Amino acid sequence: SSEIIKGVKADTDLESGVYEGGFKIWEGSLDLIKYMHENSEIYNEKFFQTKQILELGCGHGFPGIYALQKGGHVTFSDFNIEVLERVTIPNIISNCGNAVFKNGADRIAKSIMFSGDWAGLSRCIYETFGQNYTFDFILSAETIYTHTAAEEVSNLLCDLLSTNGHALI
């Protein structure tokens, strides 16, 4: 945990293998929400209510929270469990757990969290949901910042995106 805080205080936004930027609000996550909102003829309640959604490298979880607010079932993943505990979960509760949203508690129950390296994410998903489980919709913002990250995201899309699914990266 102190290693995570050290990563946040450093001059860089990342410390590979220790802190991958989850405490920071990245502009790309807000751009994803704006895109979905501006294309609400596609990304509406009817779309989300039938989807199993994965947000890769969720950090604050704003794109996944948008999907939860629209009725989707969302799996949030981030490298650091501390990010999920201190940022993602409080944001879900703040944005989906109050009286402003109909069935707020129901929406929180429609989410699940995974932390850790992406290399093991498919295995964790399969152990939780069953072998060959896939998602209808995958969201990810500002996660492709190295060649290795690009390969890992590509592998996850191949493993976890359903045949008729799509992703916003």
Side-chain angles (χ1 to χ4, degrees):
S1 184
S2 63
E3 288 294 312
I4 303 303
I5 302 305
K6 183 184 90 175
V8 173
K9 292 179 181 176
D11 291 337
T12 180
D13 292 322
L14 307 168
E15 189 172 330
S16 185
V18 176
Y19 169 69
E20 299 290 337
F23 287 120
K24 180 176 178 160
I25 297 175
W26 296 91
E27 187 177 331
S29 66
L30 304 177
D31 291 338
L32 272 180
I33 295 166
K34 182 179 178 185
Y35 179 82
M36 290 185 287
H37 182 72
E38 289 175 350
N39 292 279
S40 60
E41 70 280 358
I42 299 168
Y43 304 107
N44 53 37
E45 281 83 3
K46 184 177 179 184
F47 172 86
F48 285 107
Q49 288 172 354
T50 61
K51 300 292 185 257
Q52 297 296 325
I53 302 154
L54 172 64
E55 186 178 356
L56 289 173
C58 66
H60 285 257
F62 293 137
I65 289 168
Y66 182 85
L68 274 175
Q69 291 173 340
K70 301 288 184 184
H73 295 263
V74 181
T75 299
F76 294 88
S77 74
D78 197 88
F79 183 82
N80 299 103
I81 192 166
E82 294 88 354
V83 170
L84 294 170
E85 292 172 342
R86 296 181 188 175
V87 179
T88 313
I89 293 170
N91 280 342
I92 292 169
I93 292 168
S94 292
N95 289 283
C96 298
N98 61 37
V100 173
F101 300 106
K102 188 172 109 183
N103 299 322
D106 208 32
R107 291 175 194 219
I108 293 169
K110 290 182 177 182
S111 64
I112 189 168
M113 313 278 167
F114 288 97
S115 67
D117 192 294
W118 287 341
L121 183 59
S122 294
R123 180 184 44 77
C124 290
I125 297 288
Y126 297 151
E127 287 174 0
T128 303
F129 297 117
Q131 192 64 28
N132 299 320
Y133 184 86
T134 57
F135 293 90
D136 305 303
F137 190 39
I138 296 178
L139 297 163
S140 190
E142 309 231 16
T143 52
I144 302 178
Y145 47 85
T146 65
H147 180 73
T148 301
E151 287 180 8
E152 290 173 346
V153 169
S154 177
N155 290 338
L156 285 170
L157 290 173
C158 289
D159 289 348
L160 298 175
L161 187 62
S162 69
T163 304
N164 296 318
H166 73 274
L168 293 178
I169 308 293

